[in-house]
Amino acid sequence: MAEQYGITGGTAREISASVEGRVADGTLRPGSSLPPVRRLAEELGVSAGTVAAAYKELRGRGVVMTLGRGGTVVASAPVVTSRRPPRVPSGLRDLAGGHPDPACLPVLNPPARVEPVPGSHRAAPRLAALEEAARDWFARDGVPTGSVTFAHGALDCIARLLSTELKPGDAVAVEDPGFHHLLDLVPALALRMLPVAVDDEGIRPEALRAALRAGARALVCSPRAQSPLGARFTVGRRDELLSVLRDFPDVLVVEDDHNADIAGAAAVSLTSGALPRWAQVRTVSKHLGIDLRWAALACDPATLARHDGRMLLTSGWVSHILQTTVADLLTDPAVTRLVAGAARTYTTRRDALSTALEQHGISSHGVSGLNVWVPVRDESAVVNGLRTRGWWTAAGTRFRIASPPGVRVTTATLTPAESRVLARDFADTLAESQAVYGG
């Protein structure tokens, strides 16, 4: 039956993505029945729990629904929705969200007077002052600035790039572990994900080559502040990756440098390698304010034409009120000093937790960005154990495809004194979970 419907996969995420793909291409129509959990598990050679988890995710997205004894069927109007993070229980210290410290953000000052617009901004979507500031921003870090445009945030931009470049069923190489919203977005676009392993220096060259040989037509990666691992490209790793990518000139390479100014790591970018198809996306949400839904995109001319052509047909342009606000912030010396101080603060806090964990014999990852990733054997046991001690952390399952389990801790607001307490509680929780795990 799995073969009949074209359902494949060895993990819950792969199975759910396969079902979504069959719904998108019409193989599975509204009302179509999916195989029973145990039967599909036997046919795919996986556990019943894996298939049950895939079906649960599909129900959460609105792709399928359960009819009791009638089994699981494709919803009458299937939709795909990103998973919302769970509410933080009252009284817990929130270290799960990946958000910046509000104390490190500037106060926003939108323009005081906004004159009525005669018509629309479609003919001139970008303010000259902000385009100049964006070009300076990219050029400072060696990113080519021949073609620059704007979007409504990183995911908005990446979705438009992938949807104009690829067709349903095509494969995208993604980091594993990687940004959870991207891992939701790719299957929502009816695309397949090919996981690429990550270490502290970013995506691994041999894993990237394997994904490209398997047919990936695009790569989405983070050059620094990679979530959740905190990886950053080194010069050596960048050169190795460029060597791999040169054998696949038709692949679109998309860098998400969302934490550029507060990553705590130097800019080392694949865009310096004269790739035929490339794009780098930068946002200001993490260092200027979460209400600033604006992204800058530097890319090759063909990619810019496709992005802007699609945007012209949809939202048309980014609000000029928003553009004015961002331009003023990017060119304000006081804001620049505030952001530089924030970068130092985030580095201090991230390093403090890594050092405290190490003192308890706990290994972790986090050489850049706002998070620390701690490999564990049992995510649920650790997250629940820390919860009983007053900490709310993120289980790694939201960030993983095939990589080993872990827990992500956001350190943006965590003081060094709190890190020492958390590390002690982490050690106690691990000791308890391992005792239970071992029977």
Side-chain angles (χ1 to χ4, degrees):
M1 186 171 293
E3 182 177 350
Q4 173 188 346
Y5 290 134
I7 300 175
T8 61
T11 67
R13 192 182 294 276
E14 291 171 351
I15 295 168
S16 65
S18 176
V19 172
E20 287 184 13
R22 301 296 75 77
V23 172
D25 65 18
T27 303
L28 289 170
R29 298 181 179 277
S32 298
S33 296
L34 297 187
V37 169
R38 293 191 180 280
R39 184 186 304 171
L40 182 57
E42 291 175 1
E43 294 180 5
L44 296 180
V46 301
S47 71
T50 297
V51 175
Y55 281 13
K56 180 180 179 181
E57 182 171 356
L58 289 165
R59 285 195 300 273
R61 294 176 186 276
V63 178
V64 304
M65 56 185 178
T66 300
L67 301 178
R69 292 186 178 181
T72 300
V73 302
V74 177
S76 56
V79 297
V80 178
T81 57
S82 181
R83 293 167 293 175
R84 300 284 183 180
R87 286 186 179 276
V88 181
S90 177
L92 296 187
R93 184 76 160 82
D94 183 10
L95 304 177
H99 306 305
D101 184 349
C104 293
L105 298 172
V107 175
L108 302 184
N109 290 303
R113 181 179 176 85
V114 180
E115 297 292 339
V117 176
S120 78
H121 290 305
R122 290 182 186 275
R126 296 185 294 277
L127 288 181
L130 184 54
E131 185 168 352
E132 181 180 358
R135 290 183 188 277
D136 290 344
W137 192 20
F138 283 118
R140 180 195 69 192
D141 293 328
V143 178
T145 59
S147 300
V148 171
T149 191
F150 304 157
H152 300 91
L155 287 172
D156 170 72
C157 184
I158 292 171
R160 196 171 293 110
L161 293 174
L162 294 180
S163 63
T164 57
E165 185 72 22
L166 309 181
K167 64 181 184 300
D170 283 345
V172 180
V174 297
E175 297 164 327
D176 184 22
F179 183 38
H180 57 295
H181 289 309
L182 178 68
L183 301 187
D184 286 341
L185 174 64
V186 172
L189 296 173
L191 303 173
R192 294 183 295 116
M193 292 188 294
L194 295 178
V196 179
V198 180
D199 60 24
D200 288 340
E201 295 184 65
I203 53 178
R204 298 172 60 178
E206 68 277 10
L208 174 61
R209 185 176 292 278
L212 297 178
R213 284 176 172 170
R217 293 195 54 214
L219 163 68
V220 182
C221 61
S222 297
R224 51 186 167 178
Q226 189 268 353
S227 180
L229 203 70
R232 83 291 184 239
F233 287 160
T234 59
V235 173
R237 175 60 58 84
R238 176 201 61 193
D239 293 346
E240 290 180 278
L241 294 172
L242 286 173
S243 178
V244 172
L245 289 166
R246 289 189 183 105
D247 293 334
F248 301 87
D250 295 331
V251 169
L252 173 64
V253 177
V254 180
E255 283 189 342
D256 179 6
D257 197 9
H258 62 285
N259 268 343
D261 284 34
I262 53 172
V268 179
S269 171
L270 296 172
T271 65
S272 64
L275 296 170
R277 301 300 313 284
W278 64 274
Q280 187 183 96
V281 187
R282 291 189 174 189
T283 60
V284 296
S285 299
K286 293 296 177 71
H287 72 280
L288 295 183
I290 62 171
D291 278 323
L292 298 174
R293 309 306 299 165
W294 173 84
L297 169 67
C299 56
D300 66 89
T303 298
L304 181 136
R306 293 177 183 180
H307 174 277
D308 281 8
R310 177 64 61 85
M311 190 167 185
L312 183 66
L313 295 173
T314 54
S315 57
W317 68 89
V318 176
S319 160
H320 279 206
I321 299 173
L322 176 59
Q323 289 190 45
T324 299
T325 304
V326 175
D328 290 345
L329 290 167
L330 286 179
T331 56
D332 185 335
V335 172
T336 300
R337 290 192 294 272
L338 176 66
V339 172
R344 293 190 294 270
T345 296
Y346 292 139
T347 297
T348 298
R349 292 174 178 175
R350 186 184 65 247
D351 290 348
L353 179 58
S354 295
T355 299
L357 290 169
E358 185 178 8
Q359 290 171 350
H360 287 273
I362 302 171
S363 63
S364 64
H365 301 274
V367 292
S368 66
L370 305 182
N371 304 294
V372 169
W373 176 260
V374 187
V376 300
R377 184 163 55 179
D378 186 336
E379 292 177 358
S380 295
V382 172
V383 169
N384 289 329
L386 290 173
R387 177 177 179 173
T388 64
R389 292 169 168 83
W391 308 102
W392 185 248
T393 55
T397 186
R398 299 183 69 211
F399 308 93
R400 301 186 294 108
I401 302 173
S403 56
V407 171
R408 193 190 76 170
V409 182
T410 298
T411 57
T413 62
L414 193 67
T415 67
E418 290 176 315
S419 286
R420 292 189 288 273
V421 178
L422 174 58
R424 183 191 63 215
D425 289 345
F426 214 116
D428 292 343
T429 299
L430 284 177
E432 291 176 0
S433 66
Q434 289 168 359
V436 172
Y437 192 92

